[in-house]
Amino acid sequence: VQLVESGGGSVETGGSLRLSCAVFGRTFDSVAMGWFRQAPGKEREFVAGFRWSDTFYADSVKGRFTLSRDTAKNTVYIKMNSLKPEDTAVYYCAADDGWGSSDEYAYDYWGRGTQVTVSS
């Protein structure tokens, strides 16, 4: 399974970005998908994920970030609105052969990440 993220960039506070994660080698409906992020000097943290058709979010992004997916493109998206400087991080897409989790160690496959920078 190969995961390729795109869509990162630099925005000002309050701006929006949409990240994409293209899944190769498996249809994404056969794996659980998640997004994580890692800020400089901090541990990687869960952002949002799919569990079957349900979505779940970290409290820090709830109401601002929205997951979606395009079956035809085998791609999942995360739309990030009302961005804050504390959202600055490398964002990673991950796939889990299991049920989906907020625990990074549950995930079996990872993308290389895409940088998101939010300036104040």
Side-chain angles (χ1 to χ4, degrees), residues 9-56:
S10 298
V11 296
E12 295 184 346
T13 297
S16 298
L17 284 172
R18 189 181 75 161
L19 306 183
S20 302
C21 174
V23 182
F24 301 94
R26 184 86 63 88
T27 55
F28 68 74
D29 56 2
S30 67
V31 293
M33 300 296 299
W35 286 93
F36 290 77
R37 66 186 181 186
Q38 188 167 21
K42 295 187 177 181
E43 294 185 352
R44 188 156 54 187
E45 64 176 0
F46 171 76
V47 176
F50 280 103
R51 183 180 291 123
W52 300 112
S53 59
D54 294 332
T55 54
F56 53 110

Side-chain angles (χ1 to χ4, degrees), residues 30-112:
S30 67
V31 293
M33 300 296 299
W35 286 93
F36 290 77
R37 66 186 181 186
Q38 188 167 21
K42 295 187 177 181
E43 294 185 352
R44 188 156 54 187
E45 64 176 0
F46 171 76
V47 176
F50 280 103
R51 183 180 291 123
W52 300 112
S53 59
D54 294 332
T55 54
F56 53 110
Y57 300 89
D59 288 343
S60 59
V61 306
K62 201 171 294 184
R64 299 189 297 123
F65 291 13
T66 304
L67 287 174
S68 63
R69 52 192 177 186
D70 186 326
T71 303
K73 295 181 178 180
N74 218 35
T75 298
V76 296
Y77 305 95
I78 185 166
K79 180 66 184 300
M80 307 184 296
N81 294 325
S82 302
L83 283 163
K84 306 174 182 179
E86 51 264 44
D87 295 318
T88 295
V90 177
Y91 283 70
Y92 297 91
C93 175
D96 171 15
D97 283 329
W99 303 103
S101 171
S102 59
D103 180 355
E104 64 175 307
Y105 296 104
Y107 287 81
D108 303 288
Y109 312 99
W110 291 85
R112 292 187 174 184

